[in-house]
Amino acid sequence: MEKTTKTNTFTFDVFAKDGSARAGRIITPHGNVETPVFMPVGTQASVKALTPAQLHELQVQILLSNTYHLYLRPGEDTIASCGGLHTFMNWQKPILTDSGGYQVFSLGKLRKIDEEGVWFTSHIDGSKHQFTPEISMQIQEKLGADIIMAFDECPPPHDKTYNIEAMHRTHLWAERCLKAKPKNGQTLFGIVQGGIFPDLREASAQYLANLNFPGYAIGGLSVGESKRDMLAMIKVVNAILPENKPRYLMGVGTPEDLIEGIAQGVDMFDCVLPTRLARHHAAQTLRGRINLANAANSQNERPIDPDCGCYTCQNFSRAYLKHLISAREMLAATLLSIHNIHTLVKLAERLRQSILEKQFDLVCQELRASLQQGE
Ligand SMILES: [Zn+2]
């Protein structure tokens, strides 16, 4: 085992459980994260359409950024010479970076995999690059996030033969990441793979649990499988992962997914959905999704959600938002992003509170009914 792990830079405690749902706290060099938590995504060191000041106001506790994008542009050396990612993007709270694996494997024909790593072609200028577990660790060290991810392979979820192969590769790569991980107090999470196959998920969770990572992600979900399969896989994996380590469900972030994921013992979520929906004129509420571009909103003086305490709902009507969208004003994306992120941050907070008060099931029932009922 690693002797250089600085446990004083990262801790995780579970304070309360209600069923399988957990309320806890992660402590990182850049501050604390109360869990369960939703992490907005700043793909290119920027949460689209929002300033860090707005993210603070939204009580965002931790951001995710993408190694693949930052490696290609502006490059990890530029970010390191600007003082690391926290200083570069002026976000002094915790940051998590992914390993680059997911993006590289999403490139389809633009990449080639072998045991060593992955060769890929830049989507920006067509140049050739290689990611290996060691290279991913070096890049993430220069970026300087508090939590970094092991380099893994994320295969299509339904192909068993491919999933067996990819899982074994992911396990070997996880061991190489542990050997190559930075010695500077950054915390490395392992990633469980295995598609929609319970036996593979079990094997992967067991293998990685034995490697004793300080935290674990469940990868390869929300990539085209059914919700039923997704929840079944989370259940299988969480039954094996150690209770005292955080569990992070990657790339998942609808209100429904947060509720059901937390019910299965997930602590962390990230997703581009709230900001992506905002750029496509949609608001996520606890009564379902609303398309503000609809003509029906032209004369509507009500806010998106009268029960929402966000800056957008406190100050602007649907008619104004519809106008901004029609006039192609950038403010539309900002105001909708504020609302959508607020919704998920507050939802995670409310569920956390319900776990502490042993009211989790009751609150979930109310939320599920509200989401199904719609407006
Ligand atoms: Zn709102």
Side-chain angles (χ1 to χ4, degrees), residues 150-178:
F151 188 65
D152 65 329
E153 179 166 359
C154 181
H158 297 98
D159 181 339
K160 186 153 190 180
T161 311
Y162 185 7
N163 267 281
I164 292 171
E165 223 178 87
M167 182 186 79
H168 288 310
R169 212 154 24 220
T170 291
H171 294 167
L172 295 176
W173 288 356
E175 294 190 39
R176 281 165 58 188
C177 284
L178 278 172

Short mmCIF file of all heavy atoms in Angstrom, two decimals, residues 150-178:
data_model
loop_
_atom_site.label_atom_id
_atom_site.label_comp_id
_atom_site.label_asym_id
_atom_site.label_seq_id
_atom_site.Cartn_x
_atom_site.Cartn_y
_atom_site.Cartn_z
N ALA A 150 -8.96 8.11 -11.21
CA ALA A 150 -8.16 7.11 -11.90
C ALA A 150 -8.54 7.08 -13.38
O ALA A 150 -9.69 7.33 -13.74
CB ALA A 150 -8.38 5.74 -11.26
N PHE A 151 -7.57 6.75 -14.22
CA PHE A 151 -7.81 6.65 -15.67
C PHE A 151 -8.50 5.32 -15.95
O PHE A 151 -7.96 4.25 -15.62
CB PHE A 151 -6.48 6.74 -16.41
CG PHE A 151 -6.63 6.84 -17.90
CD1 PHE A 151 -7.23 7.95 -18.48
CD2 PHE A 151 -6.18 5.83 -18.74
CE1 PHE A 151 -7.36 8.06 -19.85
CE2 PHE A 151 -6.31 5.92 -20.11
CZ PHE A 151 -6.91 7.04 -20.67
N ASP A 152 -9.69 5.37 -16.53
CA ASP A 152 -10.48 4.16 -16.72
C ASP A 152 -11.00 4.09 -18.15
O ASP A 152 -10.90 5.05 -18.90
CB ASP A 152 -11.68 4.14 -15.77
CG ASP A 152 -12.66 5.26 -16.06
OD1 ASP A 152 -12.21 6.34 -16.52
OD2 ASP A 152 -13.87 5.08 -15.85
N GLU A 153 -11.52 2.93 -18.51
CA GLU A 153 -12.14 2.78 -19.82
C GLU A 153 -13.64 2.66 -19.63
O GLU A 153 -14.12 1.85 -18.84
CB GLU A 153 -11.60 1.52 -20.53
CG GLU A 153 -12.23 1.32 -21.88
CD GLU A 153 -11.50 0.30 -22.74
OE1 GLU A 153 -10.47 -0.24 -22.29
OE2 GLU A 153 -11.96 0.07 -23.87
N CYS A 154 -14.37 3.48 -20.36
CA CYS A 154 -15.82 3.53 -20.23
C CYS A 154 -16.46 2.96 -21.49
O CYS A 154 -16.68 3.68 -22.46
CB CYS A 154 -16.25 4.98 -20.01
SG CYS A 154 -18.01 5.17 -19.79
N PRO A 155 -16.74 1.63 -21.51
CA PRO A 155 -17.27 1.01 -22.73
C PRO A 155 -18.78 1.16 -22.85
O PRO A 155 -19.43 1.53 -21.88
CB PRO A 155 -16.90 -0.47 -22.55
CG PRO A 155 -16.85 -0.67 -21.08
CD PRO A 155 -16.58 0.66 -20.42
N PRO A 156 -19.35 0.88 -24.04
CA PRO A 156 -20.81 0.88 -24.16
C PRO A 156 -21.39 -0.13 -23.16
O PRO A 156 -20.80 -1.21 -22.98
CB PRO A 156 -21.06 0.41 -25.60
CG PRO A 156 -19.75 0.53 -26.29
CD PRO A 156 -18.68 0.44 -25.27
N PRO A 157 -22.51 0.17 -22.48
CA PRO A 157 -22.92 -0.62 -21.32
C PRO A 157 -23.44 -2.02 -21.62
O PRO A 157 -23.45 -2.87 -20.74
CB PRO A 157 -24.04 0.23 -20.70
CG PRO A 157 -24.56 1.08 -21.81
CD PRO A 157 -23.39 1.33 -22.71
N HIS A 158 -23.86 -2.31 -22.88
CA HIS A 158 -24.56 -3.57 -23.14
C HIS A 158 -23.69 -4.68 -23.73
O HIS A 158 -24.16 -5.80 -23.90
CB HIS A 158 -25.76 -3.32 -24.08
CG HIS A 158 -26.79 -2.42 -23.47
ND1 HIS A 158 -26.85 -1.07 -23.76
CD2 HIS A 158 -27.77 -2.66 -22.57
CE1 HIS A 158 -27.84 -0.53 -23.06
NE2 HIS A 158 -28.41 -1.46 -22.34
N ASP A 159 -22.44 -4.39 -24.08
CA ASP A 159 -21.58 -5.38 -24.76
C ASP A 159 -20.74 -6.10 -23.69
O ASP A 159 -19.75 -5.55 -23.19
CB ASP A 159 -20.68 -4.61 -25.75
CG ASP A 159 -19.76 -5.53 -26.53
OD1 ASP A 159 -19.50 -6.65 -26.05
OD2 ASP A 159 -19.29 -5.10 -27.60
N LYS A 160 -21.11 -7.34 -23.38
CA LYS A 160 -20.47 -8.02 -22.24
C LYS A 160 -19.00 -8.35 -22.52
O LYS A 160 -18.14 -8.12 -21.67
CB LYS A 160 -21.23 -9.28 -21.83
CG LYS A 160 -20.64 -9.89 -20.56
CD LYS A 160 -21.62 -10.67 -19.74
CE LYS A 160 -21.03 -11.04 -18.39
NZ LYS A 160 -21.93 -11.80 -17.54
N THR A 161 -18.73 -8.88 -23.71
CA THR A 161 -17.34 -9.26 -24.03
C THR A 161 -16.42 -8.04 -23.89
O THR A 161 -15.36 -8.11 -23.26
CB THR A 161 -17.27 -9.81 -25.47
OG1 THR A 161 -18.30 -10.78 -25.60
CG2 THR A 161 -15.93 -10.43 -25.75
N TYR A 162 -16.86 -6.93 -24.45
CA TYR A 162 -16.07 -5.70 -24.39
C TYR A 162 -15.95 -5.22 -22.95
O TYR A 162 -14.89 -4.79 -22.50
CB TYR A 162 -16.71 -4.63 -25.28
CG TYR A 162 -15.92 -3.34 -25.41
CD1 TYR A 162 -14.64 -3.20 -24.87
CD2 TYR A 162 -16.45 -2.24 -26.09
CE1 TYR A 162 -13.93 -2.03 -24.98
CE2 TYR A 162 -15.74 -1.06 -26.20
CZ TYR A 162 -14.49 -0.96 -25.64
OH TYR A 162 -13.79 0.22 -25.75
N ASN A 163 -17.06 -5.35 -22.18
CA ASN A 163 -17.02 -4.89 -20.79
C ASN A 163 -16.07 -5.70 -19.93
O ASN A 163 -15.44 -5.15 -19.02
CB ASN A 163 -18.43 -4.89 -20.18
CG ASN A 163 -19.10 -3.53 -20.33
OD1 ASN A 163 -18.82 -2.60 -19.58
ND2 ASN A 163 -19.95 -3.39 -21.34
N ILE A 164 -15.95 -6.99 -20.21
CA ILE A 164 -15.02 -7.83 -19.45
C ILE A 164 -13.59 -7.35 -19.71
O ILE A 164 -12.80 -7.10 -18.78
CB ILE A 164 -15.16 -9.33 -19.84
CG1 ILE A 164 -16.52 -9.86 -19.37
CG2 ILE A 164 -14.02 -10.16 -19.26
CD1 ILE A 164 -16.88 -11.24 -19.88
N GLU A 165 -13.28 -7.18 -21.00
CA GLU A 165 -11.95 -6.71 -21.40
C GLU A 165 -11.64 -5.33 -20.79
O GLU A 165 -10.57 -5.13 -20.21
CB GLU A 165 -12.01 -6.53 -22.92
CG GLU A 165 -10.85 -7.01 -23.72
CD GLU A 165 -11.16 -6.76 -25.19
OE1 GLU A 165 -10.85 -5.64 -25.66
OE2 GLU A 165 -11.75 -7.66 -25.85
N ALA A 166 -12.59 -4.41 -20.93
CA ALA A 166 -12.38 -3.04 -20.47
C ALA A 166 -12.25 -2.98 -18.95
O ALA A 166 -11.47 -2.19 -18.42
CB ALA A 166 -13.54 -2.15 -20.93
N MET A 167 -13.01 -3.84 -18.28
CA MET A 167 -12.96 -3.86 -16.82
C MET A 167 -11.56 -4.30 -16.34
O MET A 167 -10.98 -3.67 -15.45
CB MET A 167 -14.03 -4.79 -16.27
CG MET A 167 -14.09 -4.83 -14.76
SD MET A 167 -15.24 -6.08 -14.20
CE MET A 167 -14.26 -7.55 -14.39
N HIS A 168 -11.04 -5.36 -16.96
CA HIS A 168 -9.70 -5.82 -16.56
C HIS A 168 -8.66 -4.74 -16.80
O HIS A 168 -7.77 -4.51 -15.98
CB HIS A 168 -9.33 -7.11 -17.29
CG HIS A 168 -10.11 -8.30 -16.80
ND1 HIS A 168 -10.22 -8.59 -15.46
CD2 HIS A 168 -10.85 -9.23 -17.45
CE1 HIS A 168 -10.98 -9.65 -15.29
NE2 HIS A 168 -11.38 -10.07 -16.50
N ARG A 169 -8.81 -4.06 -17.96
CA ARG A 169 -7.87 -2.98 -18.27
C ARG A 169 -8.00 -1.86 -17.22
O ARG A 169 -7.01 -1.34 -16.72
CB ARG A 169 -8.18 -2.44 -19.67
CG ARG A 169 -6.98 -1.96 -20.36
CD ARG A 169 -7.02 -1.98 -21.87
NE ARG A 169 -8.32 -1.94 -22.49
CZ ARG A 169 -8.64 -2.66 -23.57
NH1 ARG A 169 -7.75 -3.47 -24.13
NH2 ARG A 169 -9.83 -2.59 -24.11
N THR A 170 -9.23 -1.52 -16.89
CA THR A 170 -9.48 -0.47 -15.89
C THR A 170 -8.84 -0.83 -14.55
O THR A 170 -8.27 0.04 -13.87
CB THR A 170 -11.00 -0.24 -15.74
OG1 THR A 170 -11.48 0.36 -16.94
CG2 THR A 170 -11.33 0.66 -14.57
N HIS A 171 -8.90 -2.12 -14.19
CA HIS A 171 -8.31 -2.54 -12.91
C HIS A 171 -6.78 -2.41 -12.94
O HIS A 171 -6.18 -1.91 -11.98
CB HIS A 171 -8.69 -3.99 -12.60
CG HIS A 171 -10.16 -4.16 -12.35
ND1 HIS A 171 -10.78 -5.37 -12.30
CD2 HIS A 171 -11.15 -3.24 -12.15
CE1 HIS A 171 -12.09 -5.20 -12.06
NE2 HIS A 171 -12.33 -3.92 -11.98
N LEU A 172 -6.17 -2.84 -14.04
CA LEU A 172 -4.71 -2.71 -14.14
C LEU A 172 -4.30 -1.24 -14.15
O LEU A 172 -3.32 -0.84 -13.52
CB LEU A 172 -4.19 -3.42 -15.40
CG LEU A 172 -4.40 -4.94 -15.41
CD1 LEU A 172 -3.95 -5.54 -16.73
CD2 LEU A 172 -3.68 -5.60 -14.23
N TRP A 173 -5.09 -0.44 -14.87
CA TRP A 173 -4.82 1.00 -14.92
C TRP A 173 -4.99 1.63 -13.54
O TRP A 173 -4.27 2.56 -13.18
CB TRP A 173 -5.72 1.68 -15.96
CG TRP A 173 -5.35 1.36 -17.38
CD1 TRP A 173 -4.28 0.63 -17.82
CD2 TRP A 173 -6.07 1.76 -18.55
NE1 TRP A 173 -4.30 0.55 -19.19
CE2 TRP A 173 -5.37 1.24 -19.67
CE3 TRP A 173 -7.23 2.51 -18.78
CZ2 TRP A 173 -5.79 1.45 -20.99
CZ3 TRP A 173 -7.66 2.73 -20.08
CH2 TRP A 173 -6.94 2.20 -21.18
N ALA A 174 -5.97 1.15 -12.76
CA ALA A 174 -6.19 1.69 -11.40
C ALA A 174 -4.93 1.45 -10.55
O ALA A 174 -4.49 2.34 -9.81
CB ALA A 174 -7.40 1.03 -10.76
N GLU A 175 -4.33 0.27 -10.71
CA GLU A 175 -3.11 -0.02 -9.93
C GLU A 175 -1.96 0.88 -10.38
O GLU A 175 -1.17 1.37 -9.56
CB GLU A 175 -2.72 -1.49 -10.09
CG GLU A 175 -3.75 -2.41 -9.47
CD GLU A 175 -3.29 -3.86 -9.38
OE1 GLU A 175 -2.11 -4.09 -9.09
OE2 GLU A 175 -4.14 -4.74 -9.61
N ARG A 176 -1.88 1.11 -11.70
CA ARG A 176 -0.83 2.00 -12.21
C ARG A 176 -1.05 3.44 -11.73
O ARG A 176 -0.10 4.16 -11.41
CB ARG A 176 -0.76 1.93 -13.74
CG ARG A 176 -0.02 0.67 -14.22
CD ARG A 176 -0.24 0.39 -15.69
NE ARG A 176 0.18 1.48 -16.57
CZ ARG A 176 -0.08 1.49 -17.89
NH1 ARG A 176 -0.73 0.49 -18.46
NH2 ARG A 176 0.33 2.50 -18.62
N CYS A 177 -2.33 3.85 -11.67
CA CYS A 177 -2.62 5.20 -11.16
C CYS A 177 -2.19 5.33 -9.70
O CYS A 177 -1.61 6.35 -9.31
CB CYS A 177 -4.12 5.52 -11.28
SG CYS A 177 -4.62 5.91 -12.95
N LEU A 178 -2.43 4.29 -8.89
CA LEU A 178 -2.02 4.34 -7.48
C LEU A 178 -0.51 4.49 -7.37
O LEU A 178 -0.01 5.24 -6.53
CB LEU A 178 -2.47 3.06 -6.76
CG LEU A 178 -3.92 3.04 -6.26
CD1 LEU A 178 -4.29 1.66 -5.75
CD2 LEU A 178 -4.15 4.09 -5.16
#
